[in-house]
């Protein structure tokens, strides 16, 4: 429907151009008079000449605007960063020139000031919406998660925490909170029923109305930020369905998180809002600056970490991250977290439920346990990445038509097993808060987690939760529902880390005088199990993402304690080392090309050698036949097919537009020829020289690694290959990716 509306809009605009053309055609496109006729024609008056120049100038301005409006980026093509940068620079230069020429016009200067500050206005609006959206999602998710266990008798719209505010028992229940039944088996049935229903409804909505809302979205956003175009992926409909489906998916109990989808919804907000401003609607490269800032805000509200969000966008998401984008990303993340703080969805003053504060010191002997946690994180990341890819292959081959049934079965299985484990029964963010929390007087003791008599039972429950949750993460991530992997991985690491912490504490209590514990103070707890859960969560997150810096900062902002920066860094460095040994690239691959020695490959091995070229003097019908028989996004222009001397490059959209406009104004002419050098002065011929671009060119023996750097840093749509001035090939970014994928399979 969107494309038809765009076509109608384009048609209306072309009709206006055609009407305008009819008014000026007698003046600017009449047949050239003979020399005798010119000698008999009376000279034009200065007024007539001025009117003619004005009308021709107006036509050229409208002609350029029509081309700009009709150019549309097609699905999974790549944008031309260079061309967009040139157009934006030309537009701003025109504005500055107008301001200088009209120094007394305050409207011009006001418009110029608005243009300069427009980016900050956009990121402020985007950040505010992202913060409000995150708060609403948190509230709905908590209510849906608790409704599986029971309801609030007097206020059904409250979740268990708010229903039992300040009157809760140690297990979090109270008299106002009513379980579905007094019988354990019936409560188990309701738990499974709601979990399965939530997952089935979510999968059905996603499959029926917004397939792009499935999954995390981070991998696709990385492609978009790198310059690819995926129509609809960041649209309003995707945003709406992702916001509806995400609370259902989380509440179903599936081992999926909200953090990846939070980045996707944030990017959708950035796209929808920025398209309301002409500067970003017409320039796809500029829009990607807003998307980078939106991604930072998405991570910021998910973890309560604005600086970590900026680092995540820099380290993981964006291939192009200039200084101005960093500042705008920070401002956007700051606004988003400020709005979330103001809305205070948990009524605790915390941005996320698992935010904690540690004030105890750590001891040098604990480095041994930090290394164990780091090794676990690296092994976990490699294991999940490897077997999740195998599950994805099976899913694509056998389950692609059974998305709803698959989600329902996974939710039913997760609920069936998870109900019997206290660390899998409740919402995962709540589980993190429980595991990070310290056992101190005045704090709730969740199911005996802090009791010495329950030590063995807790260790077994934590280890079983680690194993089962890892399996469910492998199975669930990739199902056709909104699904992230950050929080599930953190929960896996936290359950393992807490078990290690309990073991370390038990060893200390059993052998307090052992020389290893000589630095422990006798009047203070020596081992902090909650801190081990925290470090285990960081290790698992780093293992699955293969990130270090942003994870350290995120975990620091979660705790607010500089004391644990060094343990976190030690743990994550071990995790990163193990992960790199076992396989480069996390669950969201940073680069498809990490394991291939590109410096030994010449671009000639990748380029297209069977070229479709155009040249000046070709008949219009020949050009149209080329457009009809091919789907290339652009064509090299050569002097002639014998010499193959390169003259330039023309995009398909510009060429199609120029031909359609020519036909509309002149009718179909079998005698028309197309010229790219501007030599022909015949009004019946089509002059395409104004659409010609100067392409990037390299020699055929240039290493593929250098060509990839050109694509990443300069962002051209295509690069032409020359040998001694002769065109021998052409390569696009997708050609390189396809070639690398073939190498990986071979």
């Amino acid at each position: 429907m969107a494309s038809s509306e765009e076509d109608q809009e384009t048609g209306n605009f072309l009709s206006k151009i055609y009407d305008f053309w009819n008014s000026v055609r007698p003046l600017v496109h009449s047949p050239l008079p003979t020399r005798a006729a010119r000698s008999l024609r009376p000279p034009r008056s200065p007024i007539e000449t001025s009117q003619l120049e004005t009308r021709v100038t107006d036509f050229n301005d409208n002609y350029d605007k029509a081309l700009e409006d009709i150019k549309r980026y097609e699905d999974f093509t790549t944008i031309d960063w260079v061309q967009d940068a040139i157009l934006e620079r030309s537009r701003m230069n025109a504005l500055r020139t107008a301001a200088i020429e009209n120094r007394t016009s305050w409207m011009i200067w006001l418009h110029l000031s608005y243009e300069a500050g427009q980016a900050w206005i956009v990121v402020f609006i985007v950040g505010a919406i992202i913060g409000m959206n995150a708060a609403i999602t948190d509230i709905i998710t908590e209510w849906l998660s608790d409704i599986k266990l029971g309801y609030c008798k007097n206020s059904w719209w409250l979740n268990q925490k708010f229903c039992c505010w300040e009157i809760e028992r140690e297990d979090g229940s109270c008299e106002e909170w009513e379980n579905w039944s007094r019988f354990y088996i019936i409560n188990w049935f309701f738990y499974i029923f709601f979990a399965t229903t939530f997952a089935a409804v979510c999968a059905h909505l996603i499959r029926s109305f917004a397939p792009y809302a499935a999954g995390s979205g981070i991998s696709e956003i990385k492609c978009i930020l790198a310059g690819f175009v995926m129509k609809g992926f960041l649209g309003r409909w995707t945003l709406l369905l992702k916001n509806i489906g995400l609370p259902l998916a989380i509440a179903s109990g599936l081992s999926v998180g909200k953090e990846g989808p939070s980045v996707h919804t944030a990017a959708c907000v950035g796209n929808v809002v920025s398209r309301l401003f002409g500067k970003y609607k017409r320039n796809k490269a500029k829009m990607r600056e807003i998307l980078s800032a939106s991604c930072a805000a998405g991570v910021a509200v998910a973890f309560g970490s604005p600086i970590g969000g900026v680092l995540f966008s820099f380290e993981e998401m964006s291939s192009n991250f200039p200084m101005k984008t960093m500042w705008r990303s920070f401002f956007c993340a700051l606004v988003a977290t400020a709005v979330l703080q103001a809305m205070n969805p948990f009524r605790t003053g915390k941005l996320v439920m698992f935010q904690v504060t540690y004030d105890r010191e750590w001891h040098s002997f604990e480095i041994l346990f930090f290394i164990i946690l780091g090794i676990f994180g690296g092994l976990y990341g490699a294991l999940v990445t490897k077997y999740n890819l195998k599950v994805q292959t099976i899913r694509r081959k056998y389950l692609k038509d059974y998305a709803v049934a698959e989600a329902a079965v996974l939710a039913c299985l997760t609920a069936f097993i998870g109900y019997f484990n206290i660390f899998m029964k409740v919402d995962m963010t709540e589980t993190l808060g429980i595991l990070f929390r310290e056992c101190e007087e005045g704090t709730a003791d969740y199911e005996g987690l802090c009791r010495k008599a329950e030590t063995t039972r807790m260790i077994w429950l934590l280890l079983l939760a680690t194993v089962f949750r890892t399996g469910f993460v492998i199975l669930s991530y990739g199902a056709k529902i909104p699904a992230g992997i950050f929080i599930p991985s953190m929960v896996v690491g936290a359950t393992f880390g807490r078990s290690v912490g309990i073991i370390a504490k038990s060893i200390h209590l059993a052998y307090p005088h052992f020389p290893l514990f000589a630095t422990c103070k006798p009047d203070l707890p020596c081992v902090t199990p909650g801190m081990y859960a925290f470090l285990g969560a960081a290790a698992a997150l780093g293992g699955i993402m293969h990130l270090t810096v942003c994870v350290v900062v995120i975990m620091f902002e979660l705790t607010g304690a500089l004391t644990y920066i060094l343990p976190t860094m030690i743990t994550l460095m071990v995790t990163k080392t193990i992960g790199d040994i076992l396989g480069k690239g996390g669950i969201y691959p940073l680069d498809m090309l990490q394991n291939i020695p590109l410096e030994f490959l010449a671009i000639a091995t990748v380029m297209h050698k069977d070229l479709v070229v155009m040249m000046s003097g070709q008949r219009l019908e020949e050009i149209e036949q080329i457009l009809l028989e091919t789907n290339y996004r652009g064509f090299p222009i050569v002097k002639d097919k014998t010499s193959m001397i390169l003259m330039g490059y023309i995009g398909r959209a510009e060429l199609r537009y120029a031909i359609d406009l020519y036909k509309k104004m002149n009718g179909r002419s079998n005698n028309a020829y197309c010229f790219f050098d501007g030599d022909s002065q015949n009004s019946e011929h089509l002059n395409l020289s104004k659409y010609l671009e100067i392409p990037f060119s390299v020699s055929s023996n240039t290493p593929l690694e250098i060509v990839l750097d050109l694509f990443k840093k300069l962002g051209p749509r295509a690069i032409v290959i020359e040998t001694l001035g002769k065109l021998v090939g052409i390569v696009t970014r997708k050609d390189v990716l396809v070639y690398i994928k073939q190498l990986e399979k071979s």
Side-chain angles (χ1 to χ4, degrees):
M1 183 176 293
S3 60
S4 63
E5 291 175 357
E6 290 177 357
D7 293 342
Q8 183 178 359
E9 178 184 350
T10 301
N12 294 337
F13 194 87
L14 286 177
S15 298
K16 294 178 182 178
I17 291 292
Y18 182 54
D19 294 338
F20 183 80
W21 172 254
N22 285 335
S23 66
V24 301
R25 185 175 181 179
L27 295 174
V28 299
H29 202 66
S30 55
L32 294 175
T34 62
R35 181 175 299 177
R38 287 200 301 270
S39 63
L40 295 174
R41 186 181 64 189
R44 290 193 180 96
S45 67
I47 295 178
E48 290 177 327
T49 303
S50 176
Q51 289 176 343
L52 173 61
E53 291 175 351
T54 301
R55 297 174 78 179
V56 171
T57 301
D58 290 343
F59 172 75
N60 287 333
D61 291 342
N62 283 316
Y63 187 84
D64 294 337
K65 187 175 185 302
L67 175 59
E68 184 178 326
D69 287 346
I70 198 173
K71 276 182 73 173
R72 292 290 184 260
Y73 292 94
E74 299 186 28
D75 201 24
F76 218 71
T77 57
T78 55
I79 67 171
D80 194 328
W81 298 82
V82 177
Q83 195 68 15
D84 280 355
I86 292 172
L87 291 174
E88 179 63 17
R89 190 176 295 110
S90 300
R91 188 181 71 86
M92 291 304 299
N93 287 339
L95 281 175
R96 294 189 186 98
T97 302
I100 293 172
E101 293 175 352
N102 299 272
R103 295 178 182 274
T104 59
S105 175
W106 64 271
M107 288 295 294
I108 292 289
W109 286 100
L110 182 63
H111 181 64
L112 193 62
S113 301
Y114 169 72
E115 283 287 336
Q118 192 175 128
W120 298 99
I121 297 172
V122 174
V123 295
F124 177 83
I125 297 172
V126 169
I129 295 175
I130 290 171
M132 288 187 290
N133 184 66
I136 294 170
T137 301
D138 286 337
I139 294 170
I140 296 174
T141 302
E142 287 302 309
W143 184 81
L144 289 174
S145 297
D146 287 347
I147 206 69
K148 296 184 298 183
L149 302 172
Y151 61 94
C152 192
K153 289 189 290 188
N154 296 326
S155 304
W156 59 267
W157 59 88
L158 295 178
N159 62 25
Q160 184 174 357
K161 184 176 182 179
F162 287 163
C163 182
C164 300
W165 191 262
E166 295 185 349
I167 58 173
E168 71 273 10
R169 305 186 185 100
E170 284 191 356
D171 61 354
S173 63
C174 63
E175 293 182 359
E176 295 297 319
W177 183 260
E178 187 76 19
N179 291 329
W180 290 110
S181 173
R182 292 176 299 162
F183 300 102
Y184 189 87
I185 192 70
I186 296 179
N187 287 330
W188 181 42
F189 169 78
F190 271 102
Y191 184 87
I192 295 175
F193 169 76
F194 278 114
T196 306
T197 302
F198 290 159
V201 171
C202 176
H204 175 73
L205 290 174
I206 299 302
R207 186 190 65 175
S208 302
F209 302 107
Y212 276 152
S216 168
I218 288 183
S219 298
E220 292 84 353
I221 294 172
K222 288 173 67 176
C223 290
I224 291 172
L225 290 175
F228 286 94
V229 178
M230 300 176 68
K231 287 185 178 180
F233 189 80
L234 300 178
R236 287 170 291 185
W237 198 238
T238 302
L239 173 62
L240 176 63
L241 268 295
K242 194 99 176 186
N243 279 325
I244 295 174
L246 182 57
L248 291 170
I250 303 303
S252 69
L254 285 169
S255 294
V256 296
K258 68 175 183 177
E259 282 59 36
S262 293
V263 175
H264 188 186
T265 55
C268 289
V269 171
N271 176 66
V272 171
V273 172
S274 62
R275 287 181 65 84
L276 301 176
F277 296 80
K279 175 180 179 179
Y280 296 100
K281 183 177 182 180
R282 63 174 167 259
N283 193 306
K284 303 300 180 182
K286 298 293 290 183
M287 180 182 285
R288 276 153 177 78
E289 296 178 5
I290 303 299
L291 295 183
S292 295
S294 302
C295 292
V299 174
V301 296
F303 289 103
S305 173
I307 300 176
V310 175
L311 285 175
F312 177 83
S313 183
F314 169 74
E315 192 174 357
E316 171 73 3
M317 301 298 296
S318 303
S319 57
N320 181 34
F321 205 80
M323 184 64 71
K324 62 179 180 179
T325 302
M326 185 186 72
W327 281 113
R328 290 166 185 169
S329 299
F330 179 72
F331 181 68
C332 189
L334 183 64
V335 171
T337 50
V339 171
L340 182 61
Q341 179 81 53
M343 296 188 70
N344 195 12
F346 305 115
R347 295 296 183 267
T348 59
K350 297 179 179 179
L351 293 175
V352 290
M353 187 176 292
F354 47 88
Q355 191 170 352
V356 292
T357 301
Y358 296 127
D359 54 7
R360 297 177 185 171
E361 295 182 355
W362 60 279
H363 304 87
S364 57
F365 73 85
E366 293 179 287
I367 293 178
L368 174 64
F369 297 102
F370 301 159
I371 293 173
I372 293 173
L373 294 176
I375 293 172
F376 170 80
L379 293 174
Y380 167 80
L383 178 74
V384 171
T385 301
K386 177 180 179 179
Y387 287 100
N388 181 256
L389 291 175
K390 294 182 182 295
V391 171
Q392 297 284 37
T393 303
I394 296 172
R395 180 175 282 124
R396 285 192 297 266
K397 190 173 182 179
Y398 300 107
L399 302 175
K400 61 180 180 180
D401 297 326
Y402 305 99
V404 177
E406 180 196 0
V409 170
L410 283 173
C412 181
L413 182 62
T414 304
F416 185 88
I417 296 174
Y419 190 80
F420 300 103
N421 190 306
I422 58 175
F423 300 110
M424 297 182 67
K425 184 178 180 179
V426 297
D427 178 66
M428 283 185 288
T429 55
E430 186 177 351
T431 303
L432 282 177
I434 292 168
L435 295 173
F436 288 174
R437 195 163 54 223
E438 270 316 302
C439 296
E440 296 177 347
E441 293 185 7
T443 60
D445 181 12
Y446 179 73
E447 298 286 348
L449 180 61
C450 296
R451 297 176 195 164
K452 186 176 180 181
E454 298 285 339
T455 297
T456 303
R457 172 173 169 264
M458 288 299 146
I459 291 174
W460 279 110
L461 285 173
L462 287 166
L463 292 177
L464 285 173
T466 301
V467 173
F468 280 116
R469 184 72 75 183
T470 301
F472 285 133
V473 168
I474 293 172
L475 294 174
S476 302
Y477 184 70
K480 299 303 180 184
I481 55 173
I485 201 170
F486 288 17
I487 289 296
S489 296
M490 290 178 68
V491 172
V492 170
T495 52
F496 180 78
R498 186 79 185 209
S499 66
V500 172
I502 293 175
I503 292 172
K505 184 176 182 179
S506 301
I507 294 173
H508 170 256
L509 293 176
Y511 306 99
H513 302 294
F514 190 72
L516 197 63
F517 306 126
T519 57
C520 295
K521 296 180 181 179
D523 56 337
L524 292 176
C526 183
V527 178
T528 308
M531 185 261 289
Y532 284 74
F534 166 79
L535 294 177
L541 181 59
I544 201 67
M545 296 295 299
H546 278 227
L547 300 179
T548 53
V549 178
C550 79
V551 175
V552 170
V553 174
I554 287 173
M555 304 313 276
F556 162 67
E557 290 186 277
L558 278 176
T559 61
L562 283 170
T563 308
Y564 294 100
I565 286 292
L566 187 56
T568 307
M569 293 175 65
I570 293 171
T571 304
L572 286 173
M573 286 306 297
V574 175
T575 297
K576 185 71 165 63
T577 303
I578 298 298
D580 289 343
I581 291 173
L582 296 178
K584 294 186 178 181
I587 197 76
Y588 309 126
L590 290 171
D591 196 340
M592 295 172 58
L593 319 172
Q594 290 178 347
N595 298 319
I596 300 173
L598 301 179
E599 66 273 15
F600 301 115
L601 294 174
I603 191 61
T605 60
V606 181
M607 68 183 186
H608 277 289
K609 299 177 182 178
D610 299 327
L611 299 175
V612 178
V613 299
M614 296 179 181
M615 55 187 179
S616 282
Q618 276 190 283
R619 296 175 66 91
L620 177 59
E621 57 185 2
E622 293 178 7
I623 299 293
E624 288 189 286
Q625 189 64 29
I626 292 175
L627 291 175
L628 185 65
E629 294 176 352
T630 65
N631 59 356
Y632 298 130
R633 309 264 47 90
F635 303 91
I637 309 301
V638 297
K639 186 174 182 180
D640 57 71
K641 293 186 177 180
T642 302
S643 66
M644 292 294 284
I645 296 176
L646 183 68
M647 296 175 58
Y649 183 89
I650 189 168
R652 185 187 189 92
E654 293 92 333
L655 184 58
R656 183 75 268 172
Y657 166 78
I659 292 175
D660 290 344
L661 190 61
Y662 176 84
K663 288 182 180 179
K664 197 173 184 67
M665 296 176 179
N666 297 276
R668 186 170 186 88
S669 175
N670 293 327
N671 297 321
Y673 289 84
C674 298
F675 288 88
F676 297 94
D677 51 12
D679 288 344
S680 175
Q681 301 298 323
N682 192 327
S683 60
E684 293 186 359
H685 296 162
L686 178 56
N687 186 359
L688 297 168
S689 59
K690 66 176 294 185
Y691 303 105
L692 211 60
E693 302 173 11
I694 304 301
F696 284 92
S697 62
V698 297
S699 64
S700 57
N701 59 355
T702 303
L704 182 55
E705 187 178 31
I706 294 178
V707 176
L708 278 174
D709 284 339
L710 287 175
F711 276 124
K712 289 179 181 179
K713 296 176 181 178
L714 300 178
R717 184 181 302 173
I719 295 178
V720 297
I721 318 300
E722 292 182 290
T723 299
L724 300 177
K726 179 179 179 181
L727 177 67
V728 295
I730 188 171
V731 65
T732 65
R733 188 179 307 203
K734 287 200 290 186
D735 294 331
V736 177
L737 295 179
V738 170
Y739 179 79
I740 297 301
K741 201 65 180 176
Q742 291 173 348
L743 287 181
E744 287 181 342
K745 291 181 178 179
S746 60

